[in-house]
Amino acid sequence: MQDDTTKTTTQEINQDNASNLQLKGLSFDIEARIPGQLGRAGTIHTPHGDIKTPAFMCVGTHGEVRFLSMENLHSIYAQAMLSNGYHLRNKSYEIAEIGGLAKWSGWNGPTLTDSGGFQVMSLGSGIGKVVSMEREKEVTNAPKKDRLAIVTEDGIHFHDPFTDQDDFIGPKESMDIQNRIGADIHMAFDELTSLADSYEYNVEALERTERWAQISLDEHKKHRDDLGYRQSLYGVLQGGRWEDLRRSTAKKLGAMDFDGYGLGGAFLKSDLHNILRWCNEELPEGKPRHLLGLSRPDDILVGAENGADTFDCVAPTREARHGRIYTKYGYINIEKFANSDQPLDEGCDCPVCKAGWTRGQLRALLKSQDPEDRAKYFNLASIHNLRFTLRLTEEIRQAILDGCFEEYKNEFTANYYGYSPKGAAKPE
Ligand SMILES: [Zn+2]
């Protein structure tokens, strides 16, 4: 049952691949499919190593995963790191000087950057990934002057709350920054719409995103070999909840010379499988697809089943810091486990669980007045939650290779959510 290939650390993969992939850039092999579905298992080859898919990419916004060392990341069999073009923009010259993100960060494995489009829109309007309709309406009905992001033909003007400065980013700026950062995979610059935006607005935004996709591609090609290895670019699909928009943009961007595709948008949970199906039925099959910013187990299962190959999200580490610990039988709030001798998650193979840390011990660290204890808690809890999420994608991969995805999904879901996907309605 165990797939030994996913147990190879990124460092070992790097040595194997050495330099033969340096200027070839990205390629993708499909190894198995879920019968009757769009889901598949494969391998993405990048200049800095392979990614066995489906795979979860750990988010290191600023080039490091918060509270985790690079050694920690290797110890949980992380395969790739996603950083943020917008947040790293001021360091991009320094990163280029050192030879790109993989080297600069010390990660030395496959990397991906996002374009900054999501960040500036979410800073500007509070748009989230999976949100309630009520929250969306509340945010997007705010008077224009209260919105911090204004979209124009050239890009997005926004107010940066971190620097308290007005700033601007468009497709040219985003590509310029991402090419200097030099991740293996970049994202084209796109406009994220909210669930409350109308069909008409989505048409307008999508046409703009498609124009930006062409600009992104043209700019990217000028500088993709600047750091001595081929950087690759994914086109990003928007189109809200509308089948005609999703299919038409997948056809248009699918015909363009992108190396892969980012599946973007703010989703209602109930729409996710349809949106992925509409996009992935139209996209070229042989190119990898990244589902942007989702990591709940049910979202990853739906994503993998419907043809998403890679995933990323800050939730596993962010939730760990807030006391939410993932277990096979759903998440727990660690604060409720004072003096508990129970393991974090029975049978978990992460270094924290293997070392015998208990729920009570982690709670004591979290509650301690000593900042060093709390930092220790953040480290241990983040390692555990990330390993849980990575293991989920490894198990999905293995189930696809073994031809038993459906059984795996049913068993995982019954344990984690306490219901069978075939039976009762999903509890919120
Ligand atoms: Zn664990």
Side-chain angles (χ1 to χ4, degrees):
M1 180 73 190
Q2 193 61 63
D3 174 10
D4 284 338
T5 54
T6 61
K7 293 292 177 194
T8 313
T9 68
T10 316
Q11 278 167 332
E12 286 162 344
I13 290 168
N14 286 343
Q15 283 158 12
D16 288 349
N17 282 344
S19 57
N20 59 336
L21 285 160
Q22 290 288 299
L23 279 174
K24 270 172 62 187
L26 179 149
S27 64
F28 181 51
D29 298 322
I30 296 173
E31 288 143 23
R33 290 179 171 79
I34 303 173
Q37 302 285 352
L38 293 159
R40 64 268 183 97
T43 302
I44 302 171
H45 307 281
T46 82
H48 290 89
D50 288 354
I51 306 167
K52 301 278 180 187
T53 67
F56 177 76
M57 297 183 169
C58 298
V59 180
T61 303
H62 297 270
E64 57 181 8
V65 178
R66 288 188 73 186
F67 296 102
L68 260 75
S69 66
M70 290 299 163
E71 202 179 12
N72 289 154
L73 277 184
H74 289 299
S75 78
I76 55 175
Y77 304 105
Q79 298 195 76
M81 181 174 73
L82 178 142
S83 296
N84 187 271
Y86 165 70
H87 287 292
L88 283 174
R89 70 196 188 288
N90 295 330
K91 290 183 178 153
S92 61
Y93 289 97
E94 181 194 319
I95 296 170
E97 187 90 352
I98 286 170
L101 180 60
K103 223 172 177 180
W104 174 83
S105 65
W107 162 241
N108 292 318
T111 53
L112 186 151
T113 43
D114 57 17
S115 68
F118 172 71
Q119 268 66 34
V120 297
M121 287 305 281
S122 59
L123 288 174
S125 65
I127 290 172
K129 285 297 298 184
V130 177
V131 285
S132 72
M133 206 54 145
E134 290 67 36
R135 166 83 184 120
E136 280 287 298
K137 277 186 183 140
E138 184 189 305
V139 166
T140 47
N141 288 344
K144 262 287 196 256
K145 66 178 173 55
D146 293 339
R147 292 186 67 162
L148 297 172
I150 304 292
V151 181
T152 67
E153 182 56 30
D154 294 331
I156 302 172
H157 297 266
F158 62 101
H159 189 79
D160 185 339
F162 299 114
T163 59
D164 200 26
Q165 302 278 319
D166 288 331
D167 211 335
F168 170 81
I169 188 166
K172 285 186 180 166
E173 291 74 16
S174 175
M175 288 305 108
D176 205 33
I177 294 165
Q178 291 191 77
N179 280 131
R180 280 196 300 273
I181 294 171
D184 295 301
I185 301 166
H186 305 177
M187 290 285 161
F189 191 77
D190 62 321
E191 179 186 346
L192 173 70
T193 54
S194 91
L195 290 172
D197 284 324
S198 66
Y199 177 83
E200 290 68 28
Y201 186 79
N202 269 276
V203 170
E204 184 190 322
L206 189 60
E207 286 171 359
R208 194 161 33 236
T209 287
E210 289 167 357
R211 288 192 293 274
W212 289 352
Q214 188 61 56
I215 298 170
S216 296
L217 197 51
D218 295 343
E219 291 294 315
H220 170 78
K221 283 183 177 174
K222 292 180 196 165
H223 297 290
R224 64 184 174 186
D225 296 327
D226 281 4
L227 298 181
Y229 51 88
R230 172 64 55 92
Q231 305 170 22
S232 296
L233 179 66
Y234 283 16
V236 178
L237 274 59
Q238 294 289 345
R241 288 176 290 146
W242 288 277
E243 180 171 1
D244 60 333
L245 301 187
R246 287 284 176 179
R247 285 193 189 275
S248 79
T249 201
K251 271 185 206 155
K252 261 181 226 163
L253 268 63
M256 291 165 72
D257 195 14
F258 287 111
D259 301 293
Y261 293 90
L263 306 163
F267 303 108
L268 283 178
K269 243 183 202 306
S270 52
D271 286 343
L272 183 61
H273 71 284
N274 275 332
I275 292 174
L276 292 176
R277 203 166 44 77
W278 298 333
C279 294
N280 291 336
E281 279 176 358
E282 307 297 340
L283 283 174
E285 210 195 355
K287 292 185 179 180
R289 305 149 184 166
H290 181 84
L291 179 55
L292 285 147
L294 293 181
S295 71
R296 296 253 186 260
D298 54 345
D299 295 335
I300 288 184
L301 284 162
V302 166
E305 185 169 23
N306 291 284
D309 302 302
T310 53
F311 305 85
D312 80 273
C313 192
V314 292
T317 47
R318 180 190 285 161
E319 295 191 335
R321 295 197 298 276
H322 290 108
R324 184 176 277 197
I325 300 294
Y326 301 163
T327 87
K328 187 178 179 185
Y329 300 105
Y331 57 79
I332 57 160
N333 179 354
I334 197 77
E335 300 212 9
K336 292 182 181 162
F337 290 87
N339 305 315
S340 165
D341 288 334
Q342 269 182 281
L344 298 182
D345 181 19
E346 187 87 56
C348 174
D349 65 351
C350 87
V352 180
C353 290
K354 283 205 288 199
W357 286 91
T358 65
R359 295 181 183 185
Q361 287 172 319
L362 256 73
R363 181 191 178 276
L365 290 173
L366 175 62
K367 291 303 211 180
S368 167
Q369 295 304 307
D370 183 343
E372 278 187 29
D373 285 347
R374 286 199 301 280
K376 181 76 183 162
Y377 165 81
F378 293 146
N379 172 252
L380 297 174
S382 300
I383 289 173
H384 170 81
N385 275 5
L386 274 180
R387 178 64 201 142
F388 180 93
T389 310
L390 289 161
R391 190 170 60 240
L392 170 64
T393 53
E394 286 170 18
E395 287 173 354
I396 290 172
R397 170 181 167 78
Q398 193 59 49
I400 296 172
L401 293 173
D402 291 344
C404 59
F405 174 81
E406 192 66 25
E407 290 87 335
Y408 174 78
K409 181 181 79 173
N410 290 342
E411 190 190 331
F412 180 93
T413 308
N415 285 331
Y416 192 87
Y417 293 103
Y419 79 99
S420 160
K422 285 181 177 166
K426 189 174 342 188
E428 273 309 310

